[in-house]
Amino acid sequence: MPSLRRGIEFLFGQTNEQRLRKLLPIVEEVNGWAERVARLSDPELRAKTDEFRARLSSGETADDLLPEAFACVREAAARTIGLRPFDVQVMGAIVLHGRRIAEMKTGEGKTLVATMPAYLNALVGKVHIVTVNDYLARRDRNWMGPVYEFMGLAVGLLQEDTPPDERRAAYACDVLYGTNAQFGFDYLRDHMVASRSQMVQGPLDYAIVDEIDNILIDEARTPLIISGPTADTARQYREFARLAKLFKPGEDFEVNEEQRRLSLTEAGWAKAEQILKFDNIADPRATTARYHLETALRARTFFHRDQQYIVKDGRVIIVDEFTGRLMPDRRYSGGLHQAIEAKENLPIQRENQTLAQITLQHYFRLYRGLAGMTGTAKTEEEEFKQIYGLDVVQIPTNRPLIREALPDVIYRTKKGKFEAVADEVERLHKEGRPVLIGTTSIEDSEDLSRLLKKRGLSHQVLNAKYHEKEAHIIAQAGRAGAITIATNMAGRGTDIVLGGNPESRARAEADPEAEPERFRELVERYRAEAEAERERIVTDAHDPAYLKAALARIREWCAEVGRPFRPEEWEGGIKRGGLAVLGFQRHEARRIDDQLAGRAGRQGDPGSSQFFLSLEDDLLRIFGGERLATLMAKLGVKEGEAITHDLLTRSIRRAQKRVEERNFEIRKRLLEYDEIMAKQREAVYALRERFLLPDPGETPDDEALRAHLREMVTEYGEILVDRFAPGPSPEAWDLRALERELGQVCADPPRDLSPRRREELGEAVGDLLRSQLDQQWTRLAPHFPMVARIVLLRTMDENWRQHLLELDEVREGIGLRAYGGTDPLVEFKREAHRLFQEMVLRAEEEALRFLLNPRLSVRAEPAGGRGAPPPVALAQSGGSTSTTAGRDVVRSAPRRPAGEGKVGRNDPCPCGSGKKYKHCHGR
């Protein structure tokens, strides 16, 4: 199959080599402009931006301008920050402008690559450059900002603590740096505001996503959620955490580690019925109890302290499985986080109700143009194509890659692997080589740290708790004899310095954020020296001439920056093979391993990578561990002995590919479910935008609002007729109830709706309601349009939140439909559509019952500053209920008649809202 695909790609011009050949003529055009652009003065180069915009206005396209524009940015980068993009970086920039993914090896300068397409696309729209954390966003903005500013563009920065007013100013910039979470949350918040003036984000024109595999694949299954607290259920979680200890794996429940699922056995069902006191645990009334029990069991079985999470300051903090970073602001959904807190005997925080949510998959597909960069994307190209319509182009390295990839070594037990890694670290340390050990969990990093301490080996441990600290430590991990233990992805986006790389040396001597001017000066000087010596220095790191020249340069640099020169600090890192990367086990995704290995051998530096595994590693144990164990037994491998074999290596790669395919299918399936919610969300947001309050000085389109309200009133009349006069036969009608219903919303209610043809009845009710709307509009003028907008927004928001909760409940149990022979996805679509229609009608009815009420009044005196909406009061017997813009409409709960039985939590609410009692007045 792979050979067939390669053949098809070759025939249709899709091989990577063919893609690169198409880029070469464009690169030559960019180079052709270099000399002419270099002759321009600074003001003349700056004036090119105005010239390009004028040419775009006259009909030229961004593609027409690309060669000259890229050449200008290249020259601006050389003049401002001392960096001149190489040809391979220009190739990467062309790929990004073409809305594709540029796969560039680590250390190839992706940060600089982004400046060229960002500048070109900023001439026609807003550009967002997306990074994985606040530190990298801040670093890249401060580092590359002078390039854009030199060319006359405004550059912004988005951080977690950026206040709303500054966010609005940041989005107004031509180029904006920020994280995926901040961009996504701003989109959600913008659709929760009351007026356009409160919105900050603006158009989604073009985005460049750095580390795109991490953001759009690793993070794709985690939605961005804005939530609010619900009722306190701490006691319930503690009780089920205690009960979960009574259930034994293998006896009471079976575990599927590959799918991360568990299911109760017959014995488990019986035990649950006995403990929970249900005759039948499958009874619908036992649904909540069964769900809490299964959640508590999942918390005990699949979530372990110092692996999936840590406990810090009395809180459960999630550890990102791909990066090893802590995520203090993220919580597991569906009660799982509370179940873990109960298991750890910690204070249980309230569950949160979803107010708004979106997945990164859907958010980034809202951009009109999308591109990305990463060192590892090719293994996931099929997913990028199917989900985002992005193909991957592998860009060659600027200098030959001389990193040595050593074969995997496999041990029977984890203990044997620990000792072997410690032995290898000790050996490499004695040689003077810097060592970086990548682990997949905090627990492994700390266990290995204790082992190295016993051997007297000084080292640094990075659990990725602080991005700034981690980047600094990682940058120094290339010093001779340095030993660094880090979770696999710690320091992603940061160079590891060996001393032979001009840009890396400058970063070691000056922080681009703290000392940008000094940093640019050093880079320019070092780059010039390196270019001058390029022809004289042999790039083979083992060549004595190279070593002598490199150490001479470093001695001069140290003298310039006033720091002592110690040859032994750098000689080992250069002469003895460069950085040695040791992987503590293979990750589920091959590209994560590639990212770790890519820490060594940047920009032509020497280096090596090797992975140490054991049959007790999760990947090998779950996927084919028994076969490997049998093979090792046949080969007579003893405890502590290692084995390297092509068959084992192939088995491991097959296992990784199997996991990747499984995770892709999971993400694809989740996307299919999310597509349904996404369409509903877009419909609600589009409708919501029609009702936003006017900004100061804006003339609102009140006539459009009035026309919409008349449509709503007409539909409301049809609903009432359907409700109280179903079918053609008048004998089944309840006209008295219809009269009472109309009496609540009409100033002149009908006294006698005598039987007539159903069409005539519908027309009479519609006319009556439209007449009431016109009366309200006239009676409460000029405030009624403002009041209508407030009420429509509030009722829609409240019902949308309720709808999200109902969808969550449906989604949690929809998988059980498969046992009945139906497709859960098809069933979910049907249920979601039905619930959405009900939600829209319910929201419209609630709004109209409020707006048409003849007792609705508006106080004449202003309530607040200029432009504030008028206070609204709805008179009721015995008092009044008021609402202002910023508070939900308050409704008093109806009093239950004496002697009426207690309303069940899942029964319809007596108020007639159509909601369950527990979600309405039972809250």
Side-chain angles (χ1 to χ4, degrees):
M1 199 67 168
S3 58
L4 176 62
R5 190 181 72 227
R6 284 196 296 271
I8 293 173
E9 288 180 344
F10 178 80
L11 288 175
F12 291 96
Q14 293 299 312
T15 66
N16 197 69
E17 291 75 14
Q18 289 168 318
R19 289 169 177 167
L20 292 177
R21 278 201 293 271
K22 291 180 179 179
L23 301 179
L24 291 177
I26 307 175
V27 175
E28 290 304 315
E29 284 189 70
V30 175
N31 290 335
W33 279 97
E35 190 175 335
R36 280 174 283 179
V37 169
R39 290 197 296 266
L40 298 175
S41 65
D42 286 359
E44 289 172 333
L45 186 56
R46 156 64 183 85
K48 279 291 181 180
T49 298
D50 298 329
E51 177 192 322
F52 290 147
R53 283 177 169 152
R55 287 163 60 181
L56 287 167
S57 299
S58 64
E60 290 192 58
T61 67
D63 290 345
D64 296 332
L65 300 181
L66 187 150
E68 187 178 358
F70 277 21
C72 290
V73 178
R74 208 179 194 184
E75 181 65 24
R79 295 186 190 185
T80 55
I81 62 175
L83 298 177
R84 182 181 181 80
F86 299 120
D87 284 358
V88 290
Q89 290 175 305
V90 175
M91 292 173 73
I94 297 169
V95 168
L96 294 180
H97 174 72
R99 276 57 174 167
R100 294 186 286 180
I101 296 173
E103 180 182 279
M104 304 181 70
K105 298 299 180 185
T106 48
E108 290 296 303
K110 293 188 290 292
T111 309
L112 181 60
V113 169
T115 57
M116 290 173 276
Y119 169 78
L120 180 56
N121 284 273
L123 298 175
V124 293
K126 302 298 183 185
V127 175
H128 297 165
I129 300 182
V130 188
T131 64
V132 294
N133 62 56
D134 274 355
Y135 166 73
L136 290 178
R138 188 168 65 251
R139 183 202 70 177
D140 292 353
R141 184 264 173 261
N142 291 336
W143 187 10
M144 297 296 143
V147 180
Y148 304 110
E149 290 164 345
F150 180 88
M151 295 299 296
L153 299 186
V155 191
L157 174 64
L158 203 60
Q159 299 277 274
E160 186 175 358
D161 57 357
T162 304
D165 287 345
E166 292 181 19
R167 284 178 184 269
R168 194 174 297 108
Y171 278 108
C173 293
D174 301 297
V175 179
L176 177 61
Y177 284 84
T179 66
N180 52 290
Q182 292 308 309
F183 285 119
F185 280 129
D186 280 341
Y187 172 78
L188 292 177
R189 284 189 287 258
D190 272 2
H191 290 90
M192 298 174 69
V193 299
S195 65
R196 293 189 190 280
S197 62
Q198 296 172 314
M199 302 175 80
V200 299
Q201 190 163 76
L204 301 179
D205 294 325
Y206 176 67
I208 298 175
V209 183
D210 194 10
E211 308 295 1
I212 193 170
D213 58 324
N214 177 245
I215 292 175
L216 294 191
I217 291 182
D218 298 340
E219 297 283 328
R221 287 162 61 182
T222 306
L224 302 175
I225 297 175
I226 296 177
S227 57
T230 61
D232 192 358
T233 55
R235 184 188 60 78
Q236 199 171 24
Y237 284 107
R238 294 201 187 281
E239 182 64 18
F240 278 97
R242 183 186 64 79
L243 295 178
K245 298 177 183 178
L246 305 176
F247 289 76
K248 300 175 182 177
E251 180 179 323
D252 297 318
F253 62 95
E254 295 176 348
V255 177
N256 184 329
E257 290 193 82
E258 180 178 346
Q259 300 291 334
R260 293 179 71 82
R261 293 178 181 170
L262 55 82
S263 56
L264 292 175
T265 62
E266 289 295 329
W269 284 111
K271 182 179 285 189
E273 288 170 348
Q274 180 184 359
I275 293 174
L276 298 174
K277 296 181 173 54
F278 281 103
D279 294 334
N280 182 2
I281 196 67
D283 190 294
R285 289 173 295 179
T287 299
T288 301
R290 187 172 66 246
Y291 179 76
H292 277 292
L293 175 60
E294 291 174 349
T295 303
L297 290 173
R298 285 180 59 219
R300 296 194 66 82
T301 306
F302 298 123
F303 295 84
H304 306 288
R305 189 168 179 165
D306 291 335
Q307 292 183 29
Q308 284 75 31
Y309 66 90
I310 68 166
V311 174
K312 181 182 179 184
D313 299 330
R315 297 172 56 204
V316 169
I317 300 178
I318 298 174
V319 177
D320 190 302
E321 64 172 310
F322 295 100
T323 67
R325 290 195 171 100
L326 301 183
M327 300 184 290
D329 297 325
R330 187 172 295 177
R331 291 176 64 82
Y332 294 117
S333 61
L336 178 59
H337 209 97
Q338 288 81 3
I340 295 172
E341 289 169 334
K343 181 187 77 169
E344 295 289 348
N345 199 27
L346 296 170
I348 297 175
Q349 298 183 31
R350 286 188 177 188
E351 285 186 85
N352 285 330
Q353 176 186 347
T354 300
L355 306 181
Q357 76 174 62
I358 192 171
T359 62
L360 293 176
Q361 288 173 313
H362 283 105
Y363 173 71
F364 281 103
R365 294 199 305 178
L366 295 173
Y367 280 88
R368 284 180 279 277
L370 180 64
M373 312 177 289
T374 182
T376 48
K378 196 64 179 178
T379 58
E380 311 291 346
E381 183 171 20
E382 190 62 29
E383 181 166 354
F384 280 123
K385 280 184 177 178
Q386 286 193 32
I387 305 300
Y388 305 101
L390 299 170
D391 59 2
V392 178
V393 181
Q394 294 174 297
I395 307 298
T397 56
N398 181 51
R399 295 176 183 172
L401 183 65
I402 62 173
R403 181 181 72 239
E404 185 179 11
L406 300 172
D408 294 356
V409 287
I410 306 174
Y411 295 83
R412 295 190 68 172
T413 65
K414 204 168 183 178
K415 181 177 181 295
K417 180 180 71 170
F418 267 99
E419 294 292 341
V421 171
D423 289 341
E424 181 68 4
V425 171
E426 192 168 11
R427 182 185 71 79
L428 292 167
H429 181 70
K430 287 178 180 177
E431 291 183 2
R433 286 186 66 183
V435 182
L436 175 66
I437 308 143
T439 66
T440 55
S441 73
I442 293 174
E443 182 182 40
D444 284 347
S445 67
E446 292 179 346
D447 288 345
L448 183 59
S449 175
R450 284 189 287 268
L451 187 57
L452 295 183
K453 283 179 182 176
K454 288 181 181 178
R455 299 188 179 210
L457 296 171
S458 178
H459 59 277
Q460 291 272 11
V461 179
L462 274 179
N463 289 335
K465 295 177 181 176
Y466 306 102
H467 301 314
E468 290 85 350
K469 181 183 177 184
E470 101 181 15
H472 175 73
I473 294 175
I474 281 287
Q476 303 305 312
R479 292 181 179 273
I483 301 173
T484 308
I485 302 172
T487 47
N488 271 359
M489 302 293 285
R492 186 170 182 170
T494 306
D495 273 337
I496 293 181
V497 182
L498 285 182
N501 182 319
E503 296 85 12
S504 297
R505 284 299 311 138
R507 288 193 196 103
E509 303 299 344
D511 182 351
E513 182 180 342
E515 303 176 274
E517 292 300 328
R518 179 168 174 243
F519 171 74
R520 288 194 290 274
E521 179 187 341
L522 287 170
V523 167
E524 190 170 3
R525 186 182 306 138
Y526 299 164
R527 168 74 72 182
E529 293 177 6
E531 292 292 335
E533 295 175 359
R534 176 176 290 180
E535 299 300 323
R536 296 190 290 109
I537 297 177
V538 181
T539 57
D540 183 356
H542 299 283
D543 190 289
Y546 173 84
L547 176 63
K548 182 178 179 182
L551 290 176
R553 285 208 313 277
I554 294 171
R555 181 185 291 109
E556 293 172 7
W557 294 342
C558 287
E560 288 178 14
V561 297
R563 65 175 296 161
F565 169 65
R566 300 184 181 90
E568 65 276 6
E569 279 190 13
W570 304 104
E571 187 171 339
I574 301 171
K575 184 178 181 181
R576 295 189 173 94
L579 178 69
V581 171
L582 306 181
F584 200 68
Q585 65 173 295
R586 287 285 183 180
H587 197 276
E588 287 185 354
R590 289 170 291 173
R591 57 194 169 75
I592 305 297
D593 293 337
D594 294 342
Q595 281 282 354
L596 176 61
R599 309 304 302 175
R602 293 180 169 214
Q603 282 289 331
D605 284 339
S608 65
S609 63
Q610 188 168 32
F611 286 82
F612 290 72
L613 301 87
S614 83
L615 295 184
E616 294 177 352
D617 293 349
D618 290 342
L619 181 69
L620 300 188
R621 180 173 52 80
I622 298 171
F623 300 94
E626 293 181 1
R627 291 175 51 212
L628 295 176
T630 302
L631 177 60
M632 294 186 81
K634 287 181 179 179
L635 296 173
V637 178
K638 299 177 182 178
E639 172 66 30
E641 289 184 356
I643 182 173
T644 59
H645 195 282
D646 287 343
L647 177 60
L648 292 176
T649 303
R650 286 198 299 271
S651 296
I652 293 165
R653 299 299 277 186
R654 277 199 302 270
Q656 288 179 299
K657 196 168 188 301
R658 182 178 166 190
V659 180
E660 290 169 355
E661 290 171 350
R662 183 203 69 184
N663 288 339
F664 175 30
E665 287 303 317
I666 292 173
R667 288 190 292 266
K668 190 176 177 182
R669 190 68 169 173
L670 286 174
L671 181 64
E672 291 173 337
Y673 280 93
D674 289 339
E675 287 280 7
I676 301 162
M677 185 181 293
K679 290 176 181 177
Q680 295 182 356
R681 178 178 55 246
E682 289 167 13
V684 168
Y685 285 177
L687 186 61
R688 197 181 185 283
E689 283 194 24
R690 297 174 62 181
F691 306 140
L692 289 177
L693 303 182
D695 294 332
E698 179 186 357
T699 302
D701 190 351
D702 289 344
E703 285 307 311
L705 174 66
R706 188 169 189 169
H708 182 82
L709 288 173
R710 289 182 69 84
E711 289 178 14
M712 286 175 57
V713 161
T714 300
E715 189 174 38
Y716 178 42
E718 294 170 356
I719 292 172
L720 291 180
V721 171
D722 287 340
R723 184 179 300 166
F724 296 106
S729 175
E731 287 77 13
W733 298 356
D734 189 350
L735 298 182
R736 301 289 78 78
L738 178 57
E739 289 174 4
R740 288 195 297 272
E741 187 75 15
L742 292 171
Q744 296 181 21
V745 294
C746 293
D748 302 311
R751 291 185 173 82
D752 181 23
L753 284 175
S754 56
R756 63 188 79 184
R757 289 175 53 240
R758 197 167 184 278
E759 293 77 9
E760 294 176 353
L761 180 64
E763 290 176 6
V765 171
D767 290 342
L768 188 67
L769 292 172
R770 285 188 290 271
S771 174
Q772 177 63 20
L773 174 65
D774 293 338
Q775 289 181 45
Q776 293 287 83
W777 192 283
T778 303
R779 183 173 67 86
L780 299 175
H783 301 303
F784 188 80
M786 178 76 77
V787 172
R789 287 186 168 88
I790 296 171
V791 173
L792 287 168
L793 287 174
R794 296 306 175 195
T795 53
M796 185 177 299
D797 289 348
E798 176 59 33
N799 281 276
W800 173 244
R801 289 194 288 267
Q802 178 65 31
H803 178 65
L804 291 177
L805 180 60
E806 291 174 348
L807 281 184
D808 285 343
E809 291 179 349
V810 171
R811 193 164 175 174
E812 285 172 4
I814 203 73
L816 298 175
R817 306 278 181 99
Y819 293 109
T822 60
D823 184 348
L825 179 61
V826 173
E827 292 294 303
F828 182 73
K829 284 182 178 178
R830 185 179 295 115
E831 286 287 306
H833 179 73
R834 179 183 64 80
L835 290 172
F836 185 74
Q837 295 297 324
E838 291 177 0
M839 182 273 293
V840 172
L841 293 176
R842 186 170 60 245
E844 290 183 351
E845 183 172 346
E846 288 179 10
L848 289 175
R849 287 175 66 86
F850 189 95
L851 292 172
L852 298 178
N853 196 307
R855 289 166 292 178
L856 181 66
S857 62
V858 179
R859 292 197 299 271
E861 67 272 12
R866 190 176 64 180
V872 184
L874 175 60
Q876 295 185 344
S877 58
S880 67
T881 302
S882 66
T883 177
T884 62
R887 287 196 352 225
D888 289 333
V889 177
V890 180
R891 298 191 309 180
S892 58
R895 181 172 299 174
R896 197 181 303 123
E900 184 176 320
K902 181 180 179 182
V903 180
R905 284 180 54 73
N906 289 307
D907 293 338
C909 188
C911 74
S913 67
K915 305 178 186 178
K916 292 180 180 179
Y917 179 70
K918 65 181 181 182
H919 295 147
C920 193
H921 288 95
R923 296 172 68 184

